[in-house]
Amino acid sequence: MRITLLAVGLLLAGGISQPLHALPPATIVAPVATAAPVPAHGVVGIIDEAMLSPDYWTSAMAAPDRVLLDTPAIDAQNRRLFELDGSMHDLDKLPARLDGNQVRKWLDDASSRPTTPRWDVEGDEVAVEAIDAMFANTAVQAVPADQATRYGLVVHRTDMRGLPTTMRIFSSRGDTDIDRLQESALFPGTPVVIAHESADGEWLFVISPRYAAWVDKHHVAEGSRAKVLGYTTESPYRIITGGVERTVFTREEPRVSQLQLDMGIRLPLADVPPNKPVNGQHPYAAYVLQMPVRNEDGSLGMAPALLPRRADSAADYLALTPANLVDQGFKFLGERYGWGHAYGTRDCSGFVSEIYRSMGVELPRNTSAQAVSPALEHITFERNDDAAKRKAAVAQLQVGDLVYIPGHVMMVIGHHGGMTYLIHDTHGGRYRGDDGELVSMALNGVVVTPLEPMMFSETESYIDRMTSIVRPHGALRLPSH
């Protein structure tokens, strides 16, 4: 089966970080009709198994190792992000005492009472009384007029929830992937401010650098401001550069045994003798991490943990290059989609965030904030913007650019056969078949697809519904037309 579409016949070399208006005219080619093949596996445009390898895309780049932003430029951009973007939280600048009105606003913003029915994992409608109990557990009325600011470190990968409950609820019966209470996840070593506690004493409402929500209190250890914030700047350290790595198993210190460590986490090294066992194992074949642990009274402690040298990690953040962007994205290829970082995985915005974080670049948590962040180079589209503007933007997409449609983000990895190719973490995807009908691909994971054939609805393509393009590594402006 084949479909026909209007695509931009452009083969960008990739890895050229220039403002859009500065690209030489010869690189802009008029749209041409392009046939998009659909192979036996049913994913449009993926006609060669080699396309599922990062080398396929990096080998076509003219300058794959060109540094798009150096460390000082990345640091400056990150500072702007925390200064200008209201979705970010600079914990270092929070006051010594939290105002009760601010805490109540954080709680209110975390979740709103549903106005339509919700369903549980068994397909039964969630009773109003059950939802009432969840909101009662937030104990909003117990928020004091003001309180001392408390700090903690995350000790275990933990879900961030809109309400203090493990109950998963869904907008439609039978859809058990999109849990409406699943907001995000926090990783070991993440600093937080502890703003509130649930009525049952089992949950903490925390403010992390990128999000505010409820977490299991057993996954946070409380410590002094100096110890918590100081942990994030200690040296030397390791950066997790694999998709997911784990500390080694240990009976001696179960609190740090087989901890999941996701891409981009920065963890300091422990100062331990090189010739003495760590948790019953000689450390010479591993890196010894200094991991935060929760003591029985909830206080913050530290314990060494071993990260095998075979694990994908580095002594510093990776260079921000086109090749590294593609390589890092492909380390997640085939991972299941996890709305709000459910299932120990990640969603579309988490996916691109973790790729960029492995190179030291911070992004807001959600697509809604990423797409319009005042600290990032972006162009936005209105619903009535014409096709010419959209095609001009697509024609100049570069490796690493982030393309947004309502509720979704995709990262550009290159151009091939007159189409723009993306890697993205998606719940679904559709294209129009040669019979004119929409064909649904049950993708539900990290995949590679072309942009041009993807359909948002019966009448609109992804390109028709683009809301923003963000370039986290350089200038981004449309030429006049």
Side-chain angles (χ1 to χ4, degrees):
M1 178 167 59
R2 299 174 68 85
I3 59 175
T4 301
L5 58 136
L6 196 65
V8 176
L10 175 66
L11 297 177
L12 285 181
I16 304 174
S17 182
Q18 303 181 49
L20 289 182
H21 72 282
L23 290 175
T27 64
I28 302 175
V29 181
V32 296
T34 304
V38 182
H41 55 61
V43 179
V44 62
I46 307 302
I47 58 175
D48 187 341
E49 187 174 314
M51 299 173 82
L52 300 181
S53 165
D55 293 342
Y56 183 91
W57 304 100
T58 57
S59 64
M61 297 177 185
D65 298 319
R66 177 179 179 181
V67 176
L68 304 174
L69 284 181
D70 61 17
T71 298
I74 290 172
D75 290 343
Q77 179 169 291
N78 289 342
R79 285 194 297 272
R80 288 197 304 274
L81 184 68
F82 280 92
E83 290 169 0
L84 302 176
D85 195 310
S87 71
M88 306 295 288
H89 307 285
D90 188 342
L91 304 189
D92 190 46
K93 293 184 179 179
L94 289 180
R97 297 190 68 83
L98 294 179
D99 177 73
N101 291 328
Q102 175 63 74
V103 174
R104 282 187 285 272
K105 184 177 187 307
W106 282 328
L107 292 169
D108 289 343
D109 290 346
S111 189
S112 57
R113 189 176 294 273
T115 57
T116 57
R118 293 290 184 262
W119 312 89
D120 65 19
V121 292
E122 305 300 330
D124 296 324
E125 186 171 348
V126 179
V128 172
E129 292 78 9
I131 293 175
D132 289 342
M134 295 176 196
F135 278 91
N137 200 29
T138 63
V140 175
Q141 73 285 351
V143 174
D146 79 315
Q147 59 181 300
T149 303
R150 300 157 57 196
Y151 296 84
L153 285 175
V154 175
V155 300
H156 190 284
R157 192 187 204 269
T158 187
D159 290 338
M160 300 192 82
R161 307 286 291 167
L163 290 170
T165 178
T166 58
M167 185 177 184
R168 302 174 68 227
I169 64 174
F170 311 94
S171 296
S172 58
R173 180 185 280 122
D175 177 9
T176 56
D177 274 335
I178 311 298
D179 175 4
R180 306 315 304 189
L181 294 180
Q182 182 71 17
E183 298 293 330
S184 188
L186 295 178
F187 306 141
T190 303
V192 297
V193 160
I194 301 168
H196 191 49
E197 187 169 329
S198 62
D200 64 8
E202 294 298 310
W203 296 83
L204 297 175
F205 191 88
V206 301
I207 315 304
S208 77
R210 301 198 311 148
Y211 214 74
W214 293 94
V215 300
D216 184 332
K217 79 170 185 180
H218 300 97
H219 294 163
V220 176
E222 185 171 353
S224 68
R225 179 184 185 279
K227 191 170 185 179
V228 168
L229 299 184
Y231 179 85
T232 65
T233 60
E234 288 183 16
S235 292
Y237 52 83
R238 298 298 293 181
I239 305 298
I240 302 300
T241 49
V244 174
E245 303 293 346
R246 294 184 186 275
T247 59
V248 301
F249 169 80
T250 171
R251 292 187 180 89
E252 290 77 3
E253 181 50 273
R255 294 178 297 179
V256 298
S257 180
Q258 296 183 307
L259 290 176
Q260 179 172 328
L261 306 176
D262 294 76
M263 182 181 285
I265 298 177
R266 167 181 164 153
L267 297 165
L269 297 177
D271 184 11
V272 297
N275 61 342
K276 298 290 180 64
V278 172
N279 303 332
Q281 182 177 342
H282 199 291
Y284 88 106
Y287 297 102
V288 186
L289 305 176
Q290 181 83 320
M291 297 300 300
V293 293
R294 187 178 191 271
N295 298 320
E296 288 188 9
D297 63 357
S299 64
L300 176 63
M302 294 289 166
L306 297 181
L307 178 70
R309 285 184 180 265
R310 62 167 173 76
D312 194 343
S313 72
D316 208 345
Y317 292 106
L318 301 176
L320 179 54
T321 67
N324 279 341
L325 285 165
V326 171
D327 286 344
Q328 291 303 96
F330 272 80
K331 290 176 182 179
F332 292 114
L333 187 69
E335 181 182 80
R336 185 181 174 116
Y337 175 82
W339 169 267
H341 277 64
Y343 312 131
T345 63
R346 62 216 83 245
D347 56 20
C348 62
S349 54
F351 169 70
V352 299
S353 293
E354 276 132 56
I355 293 169
Y356 270 98
R357 187 172 55 201
S358 69
M359 285 158 259
V361 178
E362 293 286 344
L363 296 176
R365 171 60 186 91
N366 288 336
T367 56
S368 57
Q370 290 177 4
V372 298
S373 176
L376 301 174
E377 290 287 342
H378 64 275
I379 55 174
T380 57
F381 302 89
E382 302 296 333
R383 286 296 300 273
N384 60 354
D385 281 338
D386 60 21
K389 176 180 177 179
R390 295 174 182 276
K391 290 173 186 175
V394 170
Q396 298 179 80
L397 286 171
Q398 297 180 12
V399 172
D401 284 353
L402 304 179
V403 180
Y404 294 83
I405 62 175
H408 189 50
V409 58
M410 304 157 282
M411 188 179 82
V412 176
I413 58 173
H415 301 264
H416 177 78
M419 291 189 292
T420 308
Y421 278 80
L422 315 155
I423 189 167
H424 51 127
D425 199 346
T426 182
H427 187 48
R430 296 179 293 181
Y431 62 91
R432 194 173 298 285
D434 54 6
D435 59 359
E437 297 297 318
L438 286 186
V439 178
S440 179
M441 299 175 287
L443 298 172
N444 211 28
V446 178
V447 298
V448 174
T449 69
L451 169 64
E452 286 79 0
M454 300 295 284
M455 295 296 294
F456 185 85
S457 67
E458 283 281 354
T459 59
E460 295 177 302
S461 69
Y462 276 19
I463 293 175
D464 294 331
R465 289 305 309 273
M466 285 192 309
T467 61
S468 177
I469 296 172
V470 170
R471 181 169 295 163
H473 54 76
L476 181 64
R477 290 185 290 277
L478 273 175
S480 58
H481 65 277

